[in-house]
Amino acid sequence: MSIHIHWYLPTNGDSREIVGSGDDSHVIEGVSRPSFREPSIGYLADVARTAERLGYEAVLTPTGTWCEDAWITTAALTQATARLKFLVAFRPGLVTPTLAAHQAATFQRISGGRLLLNIVTGGDPVEQRRFGDFLDHDQRYARTGEFLEVLRGVSKPAHEPGEFDYAGRHYRIEAARIDFGGYELPQIFFGGASAAAEQVAARHVDTYLTWGEPPSVVEERVRRVRDLAASHGRTVSFGIRLHVISRDTEAQAWAEADRLIERITPERVAKAQAVFARTESTGQQRMTQLQEGSGIAAVTSRNARALEVSPGLWAGYGLVRGGAGTALVGSHEQVADLIGEYHELGFDHFILSGQPHVEEAYHFAEGAAAVLRARKLIAQTPG
């Protein structure tokens, strides 16, 4: 299969630094952000149009109280773009599956079929309770499984008659059906590193997402989820979420990583890590473990490469930023080689980002992506 390259929409603002943008800005108080770019529709439209112009297939939006609402923001941006798809992240426990199907159907109609869905079960108990969700980790994933079963059930293709009834532990639905008006239920992306998450992925989703860990680590997970899906008579595709620093030379790429780490203080790392420590997310725990024992030393010595956890895979983002905490760092050829290595393991979708998101979109598209296109690995996007 070909590689599908996606970008990221910074709906909490953008910056030339790791700190002060993304989901770390709600954690660290008193951050000086001279290069901060507000997440206005005007700026986000610039990012979206840049991604579209450069051939990225879709942009991922995050979800949480620290960023703008993904549904509303991306619906607005459909009017500023023509082909770009929007991978909209949302929490399945906070809306009913019928309502989510209704929102998806409306989005498909107003965008011309440019919606993708990213199901985020949630791992921070403080944030979940902020929304009124007091279920524990495994209960949340059980609810997500039911949510996806209902979501598919109420979104029947036009040629299939009948309405949908469901009686589960978390949902009871009667006589439900959502008309997608000639469009289909969007492709469903989903991530989670726990055993409960893998079971949901195997049973219900189209594309299983992971955060960037060394190839030797994620290879086993791909094999496990693939086997689980096969046991249910299904197949799933795989995607990976990474930051990227792609430059003309390896030295230039690591110099940029050094510049990013120079703005991080040990105090900021300590505050961010205290927040990450409360998580119930297995994936977040794994991101934190990648740089445990070397993070403070790397910041103190201003040596980004001390956080290189696998050749070309840098864990510097995870010092102060939740979620995806690693970046591919290297020359354009090296970054393309790393993506090719992950692709050989079974990954077809690469969701990438970098600060700032307009400039880094160009660095990658004109560099590593050009190499991948020359190798005929990237899927062709229309027009």
Side-chain angles (χ1 to χ4, degrees), residues 23-91:
D23 63 353
D24 81 287
S25 61
H26 80 294
V27 173
I28 309 300
E29 297 180 355
V31 176
S32 174
R33 302 186 291 178
S35 67
F36 183 69
R37 303 174 188 179
E38 295 286 348
S40 66
I41 285 295
Y43 180 67
L44 295 175
D46 287 343
V47 177
R49 284 191 292 257
T50 297
E52 183 172 73
R53 184 181 307 117
L54 295 173
Y56 295 92
E57 285 191 37
V59 286
L60 169 69
T61 59
T63 182
T65 54
W66 50 270
C67 60
E68 300 293 350
D69 177 78
W71 285 103
I72 294 173
T73 303
T74 54
L77 292 175
T78 62
Q79 306 307 295
T81 53
R83 300 181 305 277
L84 187 70
K85 294 182 180 180
F86 295 91
L87 180 49
V88 175
F90 70 99
R91 305 292 170 89

Side-chain angles (χ1 to χ4, degrees), residues 156-229:
K156 291 183 178 180
H159 64 272
E160 291 186 13
E163 296 173 325
F164 183 75
D165 297 327
Y166 185 86
R169 181 177 180 182
H170 299 280
Y171 298 102
R172 180 178 176 182
I173 305 293
E174 293 183 356
R177 182 176 187 132
I178 297 298
D179 179 11
F180 272 71
Y183 294 100
E184 296 180 351
L185 178 69
Q187 183 176 350
I188 296 173
F189 291 70
F190 163 88
S194 66
E198 291 177 353
Q199 288 290 344
V200 171
R203 288 176 177 269
H204 299 291
V205 311
D206 300 308
T207 301
Y208 176 62
L209 294 175
T210 71
W211 288 331
E213 295 181 85
S216 60
V217 175
V218 294
E219 180 179 15
E220 180 182 348
R221 192 181 309 161
V222 168
R223 182 166 51 247
R224 186 166 59 248
V225 173
R226 183 179 284 139
D227 289 345
L228 282 171

